[in-house]
Amino acid sequence: CDVGNQGLIKSFGGSSEKPFFENPFEASRKVFVFPDAPHLLKLLRNHLLDQGYVLSDGTEINRKDIEHILSEDVNELKIHHKLQPVHFNCTYSTRQRVRLAAQLISHTTATAIRCLHQNKKKLADWIDLFDQWFDLFNSRVGFNTKKMACGYGVHFEEQDSVLEHTFSCVQSMRAKG
């Protein structure tokens, strides 16, 4: 659902502490409500570009750490061929493009950081985590070559681990600004 539908969720008895309500036709089953993953990914990207985050161990992550990819990945064979200045300078309607956010917060970006900045492992891991979370929440098919893009439960242990790790990370990190 859209992040703004809190009133609707509350009317069914749901909350952030209880993200579900009983199925009105079969009380033994629950209906879980999740915020709109593409919207959350764009918000995550926007705050990363605008102010940045501080992880639980004090590690700061911001746009400069990722922007260096543009200036350092200049060989004929590029590590991250999709990354362009528009990914960092998006304003107005370009901030609404999920694809730009997904390309920035992606496994490819994490890999480029690992190749170009071996001392930025925590940043690469953070980006990989949110890439996996987005794949999991944005899955549209039962089976996919990427485990996290498969329907929930196909790779339950790995998928559940990503959910738990993401929850823990979000609870402990702080937005700057």
Side-chain angles (χ1 to χ4, degrees):
C1 72
D2 192 340
V3 177
N5 288 333
Q6 297 301 311
L8 177 64
I9 295 166
K10 285 179 185 176
S11 72
F12 284 110
S15 67
S16 59
E17 293 81 27
K18 183 184 154 221
F20 62 87
F21 55 90
E22 289 180 8
N23 184 323
F25 298 103
E26 192 175 328
S28 64
R29 298 180 71 190
K30 298 175 182 170
V31 177
F32 285 83
V33 181
F34 299 103
D36 175 27
H39 185 71
L40 291 177
L41 186 71
K42 290 184 295 183
L43 290 173
L44 181 80
R45 182 268 326 261
N46 291 348
H47 199 84
L48 172 66
L49 294 179
D50 296 342
Q51 284 93 16
Y53 296 98
V54 179
L55 302 183
S56 61
D57 65 356
T59 302
E60 291 189 26
I61 57 174
N62 57 54
R63 75 183 290 148
K64 291 177 191 169
D65 296 326
I66 305 170
E67 229 169 4
H68 284 293
I69 295 171
L70 289 177
S71 60
E72 294 177 20
D73 189 17
V74 293
N75 296 324
E76 188 174 329
L77 294 174
K78 294 177 70 97
I79 296 169
H80 199 322
H81 66 279
K82 291 181 183 177
L83 204 58
Q84 302 293 324
V86 70
H87 288 89
F88 299 96
N89 303 319
C90 53
T91 57
Y92 307 112
S93 62
T94 54
R95 277 202 168 200
Q96 299 305 313
R97 294 177 54 198
V98 177
R99 180 174 299 224
L100 291 177
Q103 288 173 341
L104 185 66
I105 309 293
S106 69
H107 178 68
T108 308
T109 300
T111 301
I113 290 167
R114 285 186 183 101
C115 289
L116 298 170
H117 301 282
Q118 283 126 18
N119 62 331
K120 299 285 184 184
K121 181 185 180 324
K122 289 182 182 182
L123 170 64
D125 291 347
W126 185 86
I127 290 172
D128 255 341
L129 176 65
F130 283 99
D131 173 63
Q132 291 176 359
W133 167 85
F134 184 66
D135 284 347
L136 182 55
F137 267 73
N138 203 41
S139 63
R140 298 177 185 172
V141 295
F143 298 94
N144 193 302
T145 55
K146 292 175 77 176
K147 285 185 176 183
M148 292 308 128
C150 291
Y152 184 67
V154 173
H155 301 284
F156 179 75
E157 289 177 10
E158 292 110 320
Q159 290 170 324
D160 207 42
S161 175
V162 166
L163 288 177
E164 288 179 20
H165 191 182
T166 305
F167 182 76
S168 174
C169 180
V170 169
Q171 279 196 313
S172 64
M173 73 182 197
R174 296 294 170 250
K176 292 174 70 177

